[in-house]
Amino acid sequence: MIISIRDLLRSAPTRIPAPILLVCGMFALHTGSSLAVTLFDEMGSLGVTWLRLTWAALILLALGGRPLWAAFRGASKNELVTVVILGTVSAGMMAFYSESTARIDLGTATAIEFLGPLAVAVLAMRRPREFMWIAFALLGVVFLTQPWHGEADLTGVAFGLGGAAFLGFYIVYTQRVGSSFRAIHGLALSMTVASVLMAPLGVPEVAANPDPHVVLVTLGIALLFPVIPFLLEMMVLQRMSRTTYSTLASLEPAVSLVMGMVVISQHPALAQIGGIALVVIAGVGAARGDSAVTDPALSEQSVLGTERAAPDRAAARPHPDIPEPARRARGGARR
C-alpha cells in the first residue's frame, strides 16, 4: 500500500496539471473538514484536530522512509527552524479553523479565513484601487454572518479571523519548506511538530471519550485533510505562476460552501450565497489585478526522493502573498 502511494506521488507532479492538483486538494480538504465537524460532539474539535494531525504525521513519516531521515540529518539549522515554524503555524491554523467550523457554517468560516491571504496580497500591490477587493470581501463576510439578525456567533468569527492570520503565514512557510525539502519530507516533519504542539489541548478531550470508532474514522479524515491537500499544495506552489495560484485559491470559499451542503447538509440562505460570491470575486479580482507581476513555474520535481529542491531557484521565485518589500529585505536569502 505504501509502495503504491509512493509511486503515485512520484508520478503525479509530471502527469497531472498543477491547477487540477490544486482543485482536487480543495475538494479533499473541505470534504475532510465537513466530516470532521460530525465528530466534534463526540470528541471535541481540538481532540479531533489532534488525532488528524497525529495520523497525518504517522502516515507521512511512514511514506518518507529512510530518505526522510537522510533529509533530516542533512538539513541546516535554519531549514529545521523553518520546519518548526511551519508546524507551529499549521497547528494554529487547523485548531482555529476547527474551532470556527464548530460554531459557524463551513462556507462562512472559510470565507473569513480567506481574508488573511487576500489582505496580504492586496497590500503587497500598493495600489489604492486594489483595496476595493478587500471591501468586496468584507461586504461578503457581512452577508455571510448577517449581523442584522443578531444571530452571528462572534466567537466563531473571531476564531475564523485568527485562522486567517495563521493561513497567511502557512502559505509563506509552506513554500519556504518546499524549497528546502521534498514535499512529503517537509510535511512529515512539520506535521510531527504540529501534533506535538496540539497534544496538550487535544489529548485531554480524546482521553475524556476514547471512542475507538472515532479514532479510526479520524484516520480516514486525516488523509482527506491534512495529508492530501497539504501535499498537493506544497507541490503546486513550486509549479504555478502567482496569478494562476491566487485565482484558483479564490474558489476555496465556494468549494467549502458546496461540500458543506453535500456532506453535512448546511444549506445557506440566499444572502450567504451572495456573500460567498463577493468573496470569490474579490479573490479573483485581486489575483488578476496583480497579473502584471507573473513568474514562470519552476521545473517539475518528484515529491519523493533523497535530493532536495535547488534553493537558489526557489529563492528567486516570489510567492503571491509575500509583499515585495519583504522579498527585497531577504535579498538572496533562500526560500
Side-chain angles (χ1 to χ4, degrees), residues 197-288:
L197 292 177
M198 275 295 299
L201 299 174
V203 170
E205 291 194 350
V206 175
N209 183 25
D211 187 337
H213 170 72
V214 175
V215 173
L216 288 177
V217 170
T218 56
L219 169 59
I221 294 176
L223 287 171
L224 292 170
F225 178 40
V227 174
I228 292 175
F230 280 16
L231 274 174
L232 293 179
E233 189 166 68
M234 189 171 283
M235 290 158 57
V236 302
L237 280 172
Q238 304 299 318
R239 299 173 54 202
M240 295 175 69
S241 71
R242 59 188 295 166
T243 302
T244 303
Y245 173 82
S246 298
T247 301
L248 288 173
S250 302
L251 301 175
E252 190 160 343
V255 173
S256 179
L257 179 72
V258 169
M259 299 317 297
M261 293 173 60
V262 172
V263 179
I264 53 178
S265 300
Q266 289 183 344
H267 299 293
L270 185 60
Q272 292 175 303
I273 295 175
I276 288 289
L278 286 172
V279 174
V280 171
I281 291 171
V284 173
R288 307 315 295 179

Side-chain angles (χ1 to χ4, degrees), residues 43 46 56 97 104 146 152 171 186 261 263 276 307 317 331:
M43 197 169 281
L46 295 178
Y97 184 69
I104 58 180
Q146 302 182 57
I171 293 173
M261 293 173 60
V263 179
I276 288 289
E307 301 87 356
R317 182 180 190 272

Side-chain angles (χ1 to χ4, degrees), residues 169-188:
F169 286 110
Y170 166 79
I171 293 173
V172 172
Y173 281 96
T174 290
Q175 196 180 33
R176 289 191 180 185
V177 170
S179 69
S180 303
F181 295 90
R182 297 292 179 180
I184 199 164
H185 296 164
L187 282 175

